[in-house]
Amino acid sequence: LRTGEVFKGDKLPPMSGRITWGKDNSCVFYSIHDSAHRPYKVYRHQMGTSSDQDRLLFEENDEMCWLGCHKTLSGRYLVLSSGTSE
């Protein structure tokens, strides 16, 4: 942001929702969706590495549920949540 240049580094796969930055901003957490556009997998991406090396943290196999992630207010913990609209 200081230089005003667009960062052309890491490329992530198509994802659903937003990304969540790790505590020290060296990684991001993101979810991807299935054919029904349901977020169902959460991955961790280490900045500066290929997305082929991203680590799957959790997969929601119940097709009635969606999956999300966010950090706690303290920023110390990542919370994965799974739920339905019913």
Side-chain angles (χ1 to χ4, degrees), residues 33-81:
H33 60 267
D34 60 13
S35 60
H37 298 285
R38 173 185 70 99
Y40 78 114
K41 289 182 179 180
V42 173
Y43 285 89
R44 178 185 183 273
H45 173 76
Q46 183 68 40
M47 300 304 290
T49 66
S50 167
S51 62
D52 294 342
Q53 298 175 22
D54 291 358
R55 189 169 130 207
L56 175 64
L57 299 180
F58 188 78
E59 179 175 359
E60 177 55 79
N61 292 314
D62 185 338
E63 293 180 357
M64 296 296 292
C65 295
W66 48 264
L67 185 61
C69 69
H70 66 276
K71 285 194 296 190
T72 58
L73 290 176
S74 69
R76 293 183 62 200
Y77 302 99
L78 180 71
V79 178
L80 301 181
S81 57

Side-chain angles (χ1 to χ4, degrees), residues 1-34:
L1 293 175
R2 286 186 205 139
T3 65
E5 294 180 34
V6 175
F7 178 69
K8 296 180 183 175
D10 299 18
K11 294 188 186 228
L12 299 174
M15 62 185 86
S16 57
R18 62 182 181 182
I19 64 168
T20 301
W21 285 94
K23 185 176 180 181
D24 62 359
N25 295 329
S26 67
C27 66
V28 293
F29 302 92
Y30 65 93
S31 59
I32 62 168
H33 60 267
D34 60 13

